[in-house]
Amino acid sequence: MFPPHARVRLILPQDAENSHRHIASYHIGDSACDPAFFEMCQKSLAASLQAGAEDDAICEAVQRARRSPAHFYSPFWGRVHLDCNRMVLGDLEGEGR
């Protein structure tokens, strides 16, 4: 979130090995075309791309760890992943219908 805009970054899985990244900026009023905000928008985009690269490294490490035969869900950090995987499994098994 920035004064004239908000930015959303989505990582959408395409298959077991690939994801597609989307970045969208939502501007208030005419701020997308206002020269007064241009430099701020450029700096915030550069910061978002840098943070995104750091996030990508974390996401990729999590995905690699999921392939490990020793993988387990941590009591705190893994709870969201465990709950999500249970919902997906329930849906695949027909419990969500």
Side-chain angles (χ1 to χ4, degrees), residues 48-92:
S48 292
L49 292 173
Q50 179 179 349
E54 294 167 4
D55 292 346
D56 288 351
I58 294 167
C59 292
E60 290 167 3
V62 168
Q63 289 304 102
R64 280 192 304 277
R66 296 231 183 268
R67 293 183 180 170
S68 167
H71 173 74
F72 63 92
Y73 293 98
S74 69
F76 180 79
W77 295 111
R79 185 63 195 209
V80 162
H81 296 134
L82 176 60
D83 290 345
C84 180
N85 288 344
R86 284 182 175 159
M87 287 189 297
V88 170
L89 180 61
D91 190 54
L92 291 172

Side-chain angles (χ1 to χ4, degrees), residues 1-75:
M1 300 291 290
F2 301 92
H5 68 278
R7 184 165 295 113
V8 177
R9 187 169 181 272
L10 301 172
I11 300 176
L12 304 173
Q14 301 301 300
D15 55 40
E17 299 293 328
N18 299 291
S19 296
H20 189 77
R21 292 163 178 86
H22 296 272
I23 297 175
S25 294
Y26 298 92
H27 293 261
I28 296 170
D30 294 329
S31 66
C33 301
D34 187 338
F37 291 116
F38 181 77
E39 186 177 347
M40 178 191 297
C41 289
Q42 293 299 315
K43 286 181 179 181
S44 71
L45 179 59
S48 292
L49 292 173
Q50 179 179 349
E54 294 167 4
D55 292 346
D56 288 351
I58 294 167
C59 292
E60 290 167 3
V62 168
Q63 289 304 102
R64 280 192 304 277
R66 296 231 183 268
R67 293 183 180 170
S68 167
H71 173 74
F72 63 92
Y73 293 98
S74 69

